[in-house]
Amino acid sequence: FIALGAAMSSLIAKSRGQRNEAQTLTYEADALSLTIIVSLLLGLISLFLGVPILEFLGADKVVSVVGGDYLAIVGGGILSLGLFTTLSAFIRALGKAHLPLYISLLINICNAFLSTLAVFVLNWGILGVAWATFFSRTLGVFLLASQLPIKTIVSRVRLKIDKNLIE
């Protein structure tokens, strides 16, 4: 996601510099499509192969089961991490470099609070921590999306992805 974000930032900043709003929106829509595709693939791997991967890496059976549940939630919901990274790149390309940093700080504080609440108050254990992580990341996605013309970007999403994004 980080490499994709770097490539996106460069292309989006270039098209913005050229005042080519149509190309900017195309790059953003294509980046969003690619993020969703990669996230879904990684999410499915985490969801269905988490336990076997942990066992292959030598984890005990109990750790594999609990870790597999954690991976199913956090890894299965990796779309939130992918979207956070992608939308952060869009906002940095707009010249608002500090905003993703502030939102990241906020969601990490939120995650720490919710994880603590899940473990020590609600007794939800590691699954509570996983849901806290997922919820915090999703909150970050909504906060970032609120700073973008997200409806316009989403309306331009297509199956064909610009070669410049994947080269």
Side-chain angles (χ1 to χ4, degrees):
F1 293 122
I2 293 171
L4 178 60
M8 283 184 281
S9 292
S10 174
L11 292 170
I12 292 168
K14 180 181 173 185
S15 64
R16 284 200 182 280
Q18 295 170 340
R19 302 199 190 296
N20 188 345
E21 189 63 28
Q23 185 61 53
T24 299
L25 288 170
T26 298
Y27 284 145
E28 290 172 340
D30 288 354
L32 200 59
S33 296
L34 193 55
T35 298
I36 291 168
I37 291 166
V38 170
S39 296
L40 289 176
L41 287 172
L42 292 174
L44 288 172
I45 290 169
S46 295
L47 196 58
F48 295 111
L49 298 176
V51 173
I53 289 171
L54 290 172
E55 288 174 349
F56 174 76
L57 293 173
D60 293 335
K61 184 70 175 168
V62 174
V63 172
S64 295
V65 170
V66 174
D69 289 343
Y70 180 87
L71 280 175
I73 296 167
V74 174
I78 199 162
L79 178 61
S80 61
L81 177 62
L83 289 175
F84 187 86
T85 304
T86 297
L87 297 179
S88 292
F90 293 176
I91 290 174
R92 281 192 299 276
L94 287 171
K96 299 178 184 179
H98 290 95
L99 185 59
L101 175 69
Y102 296 140
I103 292 175
S104 182
L105 177 62
L106 174 70
I107 67 169
N108 279 299
I109 291 169
C110 179
N111 189 25
F113 172 76
L114 291 175
S115 293
T116 302
L117 181 71
V119 171
F120 296 111
V121 176
L122 301 173
N123 295 317
W124 290 350
I126 195 164
L127 295 182
V129 172
W131 283 112
T133 301
F134 175 76
F135 175 77
S136 299
R137 285 180 182 170
T138 303
L139 173 64
V141 169
F142 282 111
L143 291 172
L144 290 169
S146 73
Q147 301 299 305
L148 294 164
I150 200 70
K151 289 182 181 177
T152 305
I153 295 168
V154 169
S155 72
R156 297 183 71 132
V157 168
R158 58 199 176 129
L159 292 177
K160 183 180 177 191
I161 296 173
D162 192 303
K163 285 188 278 185
N164 290 323
L165 280 178
I166 52 179
E167 287 181 347

